[in-house]
Amino acid sequence: MPNKFYITTPIYYVNAGPHLGHTYTTVAADVLARMHRLLGEKTFFLTGTDEHGAKIQEIAEKAGLPPKEFTDNIAGQFKEAWEKLNISNDRFIRTTEEEHMAAVSKALQYMYERGDVYKGSYEGLYCKGCEQFKSENDLVDGLCTDHKTKPEVMQEESYMFKLSAYADKLRDLIERDELKILPDSRKNEILSFYKNEGLKDISFSRKNVAWGIPVPWDRSHTIYVWADAFLNYLTGIGWDGTSNQPPEFWPADVQLMSKDILRVHATIWPAMLLSLGLPLPKTLFVHGFFLIDGQKMSKSIGNVISPDQLIKRYGVDATRYLLMSATPFGNDGDVNWKQFDDKYNADLANGLGNLVQRVATLIENTYKKERFDYNLGLIPEETITRLNKAEEKGVREYIKDFEPHNALGIIWELIGEANLFINIHKPWELAKNDTDAFIRNMNILLAIIHKIAWLLQPFMPTTAKDIFTMFGDKGERDIPDGHHFVINKKEGGLFPRLETQK
Ligand code: MSP
């Protein structure tokens, strides 16, 4: 399909509700999806929940609930959070859906019949938190580095996946960027893993975990939760498990994730695709990992930040902004409430909010309810060049190169320039003594504000709309010459200042 764009997030575990980390990935995917739609590409954006396996089984048991009831509840929390955050996913997939389960079962049967899955036994270490097998090299002081727990020793009969058979081929594909891993540092990390550790066959079924998809030829086993989960990227776009028939959106253009799950995505997942005879995703993009006040988010520390808390304090669009501007995409980030508060006040209340309020008030005070006509002829050539450059960089370069934080940087440069322009030209004085200059200045400011709102759409869709509404701007790519602006200010401004700090 020409001009298509397929983007995925990881499907999140439903052991607990969504937090700031899941929110970051999902908002980032949403920004990219919205931008590609804005550019006219046929876009599909998939997210969802990963609901099977030992970890979920155990936590549901602890809660005294049947696993399905437990997962229904938490999956609902994810869905609701993304709806509140205005996430434009085309589909929300749950691995407990019948169609997904049937397709996974069929895919495993295919891999078994072609000899890539075989009966064996597995002996080794398993971290339930990661739902992953671990080697001694993965541990520090005998503990899983992500979960700080001691992996259990597992020894059981198991159906194994011939991962080792795909090692050379995958290493080559990654080296040649046929399966592109970004940023480069992550690609290098994976290539040294291939070089130093190589790939061993892995257990693809569990005998003692009932909460999973039964292995179709031996129902005393369930399918390994990651094998089940990975296939969501195909079933979520309509794949029914029939090999060699990829759905029209496949391969994925970008699969977003953080570093915690890159290794499995760069080994098991593409090996499964090769086994199934399907193309590999084009790019795996690995963004940074967030700490809160320097610490990993954890229930026991009590520092988990939920999307609801962020939305309550800042509103939906400000939450999206604060997350996307928190750190360069790809870098780790350390966040805290004070930093969010300060950024909200500086960039949103004082920066963007103040700019649109000032300009709307200036026009309103001078023209009352009369119309203000846009005169393209009054916009200096240098302003037009400046705005086109911002669009070129802000949209094409930075979004295509996975630098959404830099796209925001470009927008905030425009905001800074516009506020400075007002301070220098003092249009409130011109309104009294030089009407021509006043009209010229307002035209220039409206052109800049229009561009700001247009570029903001993927990041802050409601704010962009609010700005268009405030000025009676139709929100087309460019303002048509002669357009009649009508001021319709938003009560209380776009971003009321936060007075207190937590
Ligand atoms: N269920 C698996 C993924 C299966 S995909 C086939 C899983 N789930 S998870 O709930 O643990 O989600 C992990 C992902 O959530 C990370 O890769 C990242 O996208 C996001 N984040 C979770 N915590 C995060 C931070 N603290 N910081 C940034 N993103 C993080 O792994």
Side-chain angles (χ1 to χ4, degrees):
M1 200 195 309
N3 277 335
K4 67 101 184 154
F5 182 75
Y6 175 31
I7 182 163
T8 66
T9 72
I11 48 170
Y12 305 112
Y13 285 130
V14 289
N15 55 318
H19 62 54
L20 178 141
H22 311 121
T23 310
Y24 182 75
T25 315
T26 311
V27 169
D30 188 55
V31 168
L32 294 175
R34 283 176 183 271
M35 187 56 94
H36 283 266
R37 278 192 212 109
L38 205 57
L39 296 176
E41 291 169 32
K42 201 169 168 202
T43 300
F44 199 96
F45 167 20
L46 179 70
T47 188
T49 41
D50 186 356
E51 306 192 7
H52 289 127
K55 168 154 83 175
I56 307 296
Q57 178 175 311
E58 186 180 276
I59 197 137
E61 247 162 48
K62 270 192 195 144
L65 288 174
K68 184 64 171 60
E69 207 172 297
F70 184 85
T71 59
D72 280 350
N73 175 18
I74 311 260
Q77 292 178 26
F78 275 91
K79 236 180 160 164
E80 201 182 308
W82 304 158
E83 274 160 23
K84 273 194 201 156
L85 274 164
N86 215 349
I87 302 297
S88 65
N89 54 300
D90 296 283
R91 166 119 160 77
F92 184 101
I93 186 166
R94 302 181 53 190
T95 54
T96 45
E97 289 168 20
E98 286 301 329
E99 296 77 18
H100 169 80
M101 292 173 53
V104 170
S105 178
K106 231 162 131 182
L108 258 280
Q109 181 77 40
Y110 177 88
M111 291 167 74
Y112 182 57
E113 281 165 16
R114 63 167 290 173
D116 272 349
V117 172
Y118 63 93
K119 192 165 192 171
S121 68
Y122 179 79
E123 195 182 334
L125 300 169
Y126 192 78
C127 170
K128 205 183 278 170
C130 302
E131 294 281 15
Q132 282 179 46
F133 302 96
K134 298 278 166 181
S135 75
E136 290 292 346
N137 292 346
D138 295 327
L139 309 179
V140 171
D141 297 330
L143 304 181
C144 162
T145 50
D146 274 353
H147 294 91
K148 310 285 179 237
T149 49
K150 199 170 165 193
E152 52 192 295
V153 180
M154 229 179 80
Q155 183 180 18
E156 63 184 35
E157 173 193 282
S158 181
Y159 290 95
M160 306 289 290
F161 173 46
K162 265 194 195 161
L163 187 57
S164 59
Y166 293 101
D168 292 344
K169 172 117 205 223
L170 283 176
R171 189 175 154 184
D172 180 56
L173 289 168
I174 293 168
E175 246 160 16
R176 290 192 291 112
D177 287 337
E178 291 284 320
L179 168 58
K180 200 175 200 167
I181 299 177
L182 289 173
D184 277 343
S185 55
R186 297 287 168 208
K187 171 181 171 182
N188 295 336
E189 180 187 300
I190 286 298
L191 286 173
S192 36
F193 174 76
Y194 270 91
K195 197 166 131 230
N196 299 332
E197 308 229 0
L199 298 184
K200 296 182 195 73
D201 291 357
I202 64 156
S203 165
F204 241 34
S205 77
R206 298 295 303 272
K207 224 174 156 43
N208 302 318
V209 180
W211 180 238
I213 305 173
V215 169
W217 62 90
D218 179 352
R219 300 182 72 85
S220 68
H221 287 243
T222 53
I223 295 169
Y224 176 43
V225 59
W226 274 96
D228 165 356
F230 279 132
L231 293 171
N232 94 85
Y233 298 137
L234 291 162
T235 59
I237 43 170
W239 189 61
D240 70 354
T242 309
S243 201
N244 299 320
Q245 280 181 23
E248 61 167 349
F249 274 101
W250 193 255
D253 293 83
V254 190
Q255 304 211 264
L256 275 191
M257 69 200 71
S258 194
K259 58 186 177 186
D260 52 341
I261 55 174
L262 169 62
R263 196 197 287 171
V264 281
H265 274 86
T267 53
I268 306 172
W269 170 225
M272 286 174 74
L273 287 165
L274 291 178
S275 173
L276 290 165
L278 294 172
L280 303 190
K282 291 187 194 154
T283 303
L284 306 180
F285 188 92
V286 185
H287 66 66
F289 211 74
F290 277 104
L291 300 179
I292 313 275
D293 267 325
Q295 284 182 303
K296 204 184 151 154
M297 253 179 293
S298 108
K299 262 196 192 160
S300 52
I301 302 173
N303 64 348
V304 180
I305 296 182
S306 72
D308 263 347
Q309 283 173 288
L310 290 168
I311 295 170
K312 236 191 220 141
R313 187 155 181 79
Y314 307 110
V316 168
D317 274 13
T319 295
R320 296 170 59 105
Y321 173 74
L322 293 172
L323 289 175
M324 290 317 297
S325 61
T327 178
F329 207 41
N331 291 15
D332 287 345
D334 191 7
V335 293
N336 59 56
W337 287 105
K338 162 115 180 39
Q339 187 186 310
F340 280 147
D341 279 5
D342 290 348
K343 204 152 170 61
Y344 173 97
N345 278 337
D347 294 359
L348 297 174
N350 295 350
L352 176 60
N354 194 29
L355 169 67
V356 291
Q357 199 70 7
R358 280 168 104 183
V359 174
T361 306
L362 277 166
I363 297 178
E364 194 180 49
N365 285 352
T366 314
Y367 285 84
K368 305 290 177 239
K369 289 284 160 208
E370 286 169 52
R371 306 182 322 192
F372 185 90
D373 292 347
Y374 184 60
N375 185 346
L376 185 58
L378 292 179
I379 313 292
E381 202 46 47
E382 58 177 344
T383 305
I384 294 175
T385 312
R386 169 77 186 99
L387 295 178
N388 287 344
K389 203 177 106 201
E391 180 172 331
E392 194 56 32
K393 266 196 156 350
V395 183
R396 293 181 202 283
E397 281 182 39
Y398 288 147
I399 294 298
K400 300 248 178 209
D401 291 347
F402 302 104
E403 296 179 21
H405 58 287
N406 280 334
L408 282 177
I410 297 267
I411 301 172
W412 258 262
E413 268 174 23
L414 290 180
I415 293 170
E417 286 165 26
N419 269 325
L420 190 66
F421 182 92
I422 298 177
N423 295 347
I424 292 173
H425 292 276
K426 303 192 173 50
W428 54 92
E429 285 176 9
L430 298 177
K432 287 182 227 138
N433 54 35
D434 187 346
T435 316
D436 286 352
F438 176 80
I439 290 176
R440 192 170 57 243
N441 283 350
M442 288 305 111
N443 270 285
I444 293 173
L445 286 165
L446 284 168
I448 302 176
I449 289 176
H450 171 85
K451 187 65 73 182
I452 289 168
W454 198 85
L455 290 171
L456 268 179
Q457 291 178 97
F459 295 93
M460 306 175 84
T462 308
T463 303
K465 244 190 237 142
D466 283 350
I467 296 175
F468 289 142
T469 309
M470 268 175 86
F471 294 95
D473 181 331
K474 283 210 185 103
E476 290 159 298
R477 190 163 194 152
D478 294 303
I479 314 170
D481 193 20
H483 176 72
H484 309 303
F485 286 101
V486 181
I487 304 300
N488 185 5
K489 278 199 302 196
K490 190 173 169 186
E491 199 74 32
L494 288 181
F495 301 102
R497 254 190 96 78
L498 286 173
E499 293 307 341
T500 52
Q501 275 168 3
K502 267 193 191 169

